[in-house]
Amino acid sequence: MADSSKTTDYLALDLGAESGRGMIGRFDGERLQLEEVHRFPNGPVRLLNTLHWDVPRLWDEMKAAIRKAVAGYPGLDGVGVDTWGVDFGLVGRGETLLGNPVHYRDARTDGVMEAAARTLPREAIYEATGLQFLPFNSIYQLIAMKQAGSPLLKMAESLLLMPDLFGWLMTGRRVGERTNATTTQLYDPRAGSWSDDLCRAFDLPRAILPELIDPGTELGPMLGSVADEVGLRSPLTVLMPGTHDTASAVAAVPAVVADPTAPPDWCYLSSGTWSLLGVEVPRPIITAETLRANFTNEGGVAGTTRLLKNIMGLWLVQECRRTWARAGREFSYDELIAAAREARPFATLVDPDDPSFFAPGDMPARIAAFAARTGQPVPEGEGGFVRCALESLALKYRWTVRRLESIVGTTIRAIHVVGGGSRNALLCQFTADACGVPVHAGPVEATAAGNILLQAMARGRIGSLADARAVVARSFPVATFEPQDAGAWSEAIGRFDGLVPPA
């Protein structure tokens, strides 16, 4: 049960692919209030032919967020970091960061996943890790570095995934948090440790993979030099949320789980640049069926497993918007959604996970090319392109839900959408219509809420994951979208399924 004896403040540093922010969480033992204290842009920086993350700038922005939080909330009881998965920095002798981490959309991994399968069959890699095959997984980034003869691998003492890297900058401690480690395709979810077998198979330096710790624990006190820089007068402890942003977001899904050992009758959809759709299960499910459908088993909080599929998500809309902006046609997201409402339904459908959509670039041209090679009309105007993306995402969600039901042996009766995409009422309604079940949208700030509630668990103020979800349900509004116009989607479902490679 929650401890309601006092109000405690925590800071979540939540970094996404487009932006980062510092969010204060005020927890009184019953409810959580969130306040944004600092927001900053994020995105790749190209140096010569390589896309990087700008770690020095991000670190400066994170310190600015801590400074503002300390000034406004002098009783701050902890700070925790969450980011995306797979990307990492290397640390060498003398506490030296060996270059800026490379962005997962960089081209260095092109063809590496296929080449790796010639060294070790996909079936063996999946049996060892239970992880979805994606070209940017950490294992393929490391293999790419090895193939290129990168001197950094020989100089490295530690590999730190992005949230662990910032944890090191705050505390000087080099460790890995388990939920993010599970995204690397170097983690054995059955053993709960790094896979020595995969490191040997690909001749990767096992010694650089760090000790692992669990979410809901303490990392350690902030370094004195950092504390001085941000204006701290008393020690501040860095606490570990689910440092993979989806792990924190799923922890904040306001669902009631009566029996955690029973097959789930709800699924989560963490909706943003990526869509991550899945169910929470007590242990990994690694079978021929999950391999065939390319599902992933990622670590959740409180010992759970997130069986899910990564779907390209609102990246399609974001990259269309950037393409139009470069051409001098600036649109807000609200304007694009309004135009999509007026566009012709089901005129053009795409598989959002087609490899041609992955890299940054001219997304409208790529959608048009997909339409041409599948015998469909090119979408008309900006609204047509956005509607195409949103309808296609809803249909890919349906495709994924049906396979989850088969794998787990359950019937999904509700979808909980969390994250920024929960504000997109048109996509939420499309999702309810395509999947034929109610969609419960919210909270928008699920990742920050989950981050903060895991910090509260680390401090002993929340006793369990169920208690944390009850706090979310009491604290944030949720909008419900009931399915409508099921008949209008039936023909589109058949068309869409024909566009997706067989699983």
Side-chain angles (χ1 to χ4, degrees):
M1 297 296 292
D3 171 11
S4 58
S5 60
K6 61 177 181 177
T7 296
T8 312
D9 301 329
Y10 302 93
L11 174 64
L13 296 170
D14 174 25
L15 272 69
E18 276 203 314
S19 66
R21 63 269 181 85
M23 299 285 292
I24 285 289
R26 310 207 77 195
F27 179 53
D28 66 3
E30 290 292 323
R31 287 179 170 79
L32 177 66
Q33 293 181 317
L34 296 178
E35 180 188 347
E36 183 179 296
V37 293
H38 186 59
R39 178 176 287 267
F40 50 94
N42 190 19
V45 177
R46 186 174 294 279
L47 298 176
L48 299 177
N49 293 319
T50 303
L51 286 178
H52 292 272
W53 296 107
D54 190 352
V55 162
R57 185 185 65 80
L58 293 175
W59 176 227
D60 262 356
E61 296 284 8
M62 293 169 75
K63 287 185 290 185
I66 299 170
R67 192 176 299 114
K68 291 178 181 179
V70 167
Y73 300 87
L76 201 62
D77 196 41
V79 56
V81 181
D82 67 79
T83 80
W84 59 95
V86 307
D87 288 338
F88 56 84
L90 297 174
V91 180
R93 189 172 59 192
E95 300 295 304
T96 302
L97 177 61
L98 302 175
N100 265 341
V102 175
H103 192 289
Y104 62 84
R105 293 191 193 273
D106 184 72
R108 69 174 173 171
T109 56
D110 288 357
V112 174
M113 185 172 67
E114 294 75 16
R118 294 193 286 272
T119 298
L120 193 66
R122 285 168 59 96
E123 292 80 4
I125 297 172
Y126 192 79
E127 176 63 25
T129 65
L131 203 79
Q132 180 177 358
F133 286 91
L134 294 166
F136 49 74
N137 289 344
S138 311
I139 187 172
Y140 306 121
Q141 296 195 40
L142 285 168
I143 293 171
M145 294 180 73
K146 189 170 183 62
Q147 289 177 346
S150 170
L152 300 185
L153 277 182
K154 296 179 181 178
M155 299 166 62
E157 293 181 348
S158 301
L159 179 151
L160 297 177
L161 293 161
M162 295 301 292
D164 306 324
L165 187 70
F166 292 117
W168 164 65
L169 291 173
M170 281 193 276
T171 67
R173 189 177 177 197
R174 301 188 205 172
V175 295
E177 188 276 317
R178 197 173 303 277
T179 67
N180 221 311
T182 65
T183 71
T184 61
Q185 211 163 28
L186 280 168
Y187 180 86
D188 180 343
R190 294 189 182 101
S193 61
W194 298 112
S195 172
D196 294 336
D197 291 344
L198 284 181
C199 289
R200 280 193 296 268
F202 294 105
D203 193 23
L204 299 176
R206 169 66 179 85
I208 69 175
L209 300 178
E211 168 197 354
L212 295 176
I213 63 175
D214 290 323
T217 57
E218 294 187 5
L219 179 60
M222 191 169 284
L223 289 169
S225 58
V226 179
D228 290 343
E229 193 173 353
V230 298
L232 275 169
R233 294 184 176 84
S234 58
L236 179 63
T237 302
V238 180
L239 304 169
M240 301 302 279
T243 63
H244 187 219
D245 49 13
T246 309
S248 279
V250 172
V253 170
V256 175
V257 182
D259 180 2
T261 65
D265 62 357
W266 59 276
C267 66
Y268 56 82
L269 171 56
S270 180
S271 180
T273 299
W274 287 90
S275 291
L276 297 102
L277 194 158
V279 293
E280 192 172 74
V281 290
R283 62 191 61 85
I285 300 178
I286 304 174
T287 65
E289 189 175 6
T290 57
L291 169 60
R292 190 164 54 249
N294 205 20
F295 276 77
T296 203
N297 290 269
E298 293 179 353
V301 305
T304 59
T305 293
R306 293 176 290 115
L307 177 68
L308 63 90
K309 191 170 187 65
N310 283 272
I311 300 167
M312 200 73 76
L314 289 167
W315 164 255
L316 275 71
V317 176
Q318 293 166 354
E319 200 63 4
C320 281
R321 181 172 177 253
R322 277 188 283 268
T323 299
W324 294 324
R326 285 192 293 268
R329 306 200 309 276
E330 298 269 2
F331 300 99
S332 69
Y333 283 118
D334 287 344
E335 289 171 329
L336 291 175
I337 296 303
R341 286 184 184 277
E342 301 303 317
R344 184 159 66 94
F346 311 118
T348 307
L349 301 173
V350 301
D351 177 4
D353 294 319
D354 187 83
S356 66
F357 301 140
F358 175 72
D362 189 341
M363 190 62 68
R366 295 172 186 176
I367 291 173
F370 185 100
R373 72 172 183 265
T374 53
Q376 301 180 85
V378 173
E380 296 181 3
E382 290 83 7
F385 279 97
V386 175
R387 185 161 191 134
C388 165
L390 298 184
E391 288 177 340
S392 299
L393 280 173
L395 288 163
K396 192 58 179 277
Y397 300 157
R398 179 192 180 278
W399 184 97
T400 305
V401 166
R402 295 295 174 263
R403 279 148 187 83
L404 278 173
E405 291 176 325
S406 173
I407 290 164
V408 180
T410 190
T411 299
I412 298 299
R413 304 187 187 281
I415 300 173
H416 286 269
V417 181
V418 295
S422 67
R423 288 180 294 205
N424 189 326
L426 187 59
L427 178 56
C428 289
Q429 187 62 60
F430 285 171
T431 302
D433 296 344
C435 298
V437 297
V439 166
H440 305 296
V444 173
E445 301 292 357
T447 301
N451 178 321
I452 288 160
L453 292 171
L454 263 293
Q455 293 186 58
M457 288 178 72
R459 288 301 209 190
R461 298 215 58 214
I462 293 178
S464 69
L465 178 57
D467 290 342
R469 286 178 169 152
V471 170
V472 175
R474 290 191 292 267
S475 303
F476 303 101
V478 172
T480 297
F481 297 81
E482 296 289 346
Q484 303 171 4
D485 299 326
W489 286 78
S490 57
E491 186 270 339
I493 288 167
R495 282 174 52 205
F496 178 83
D497 287 352
L499 298 174
V500 180

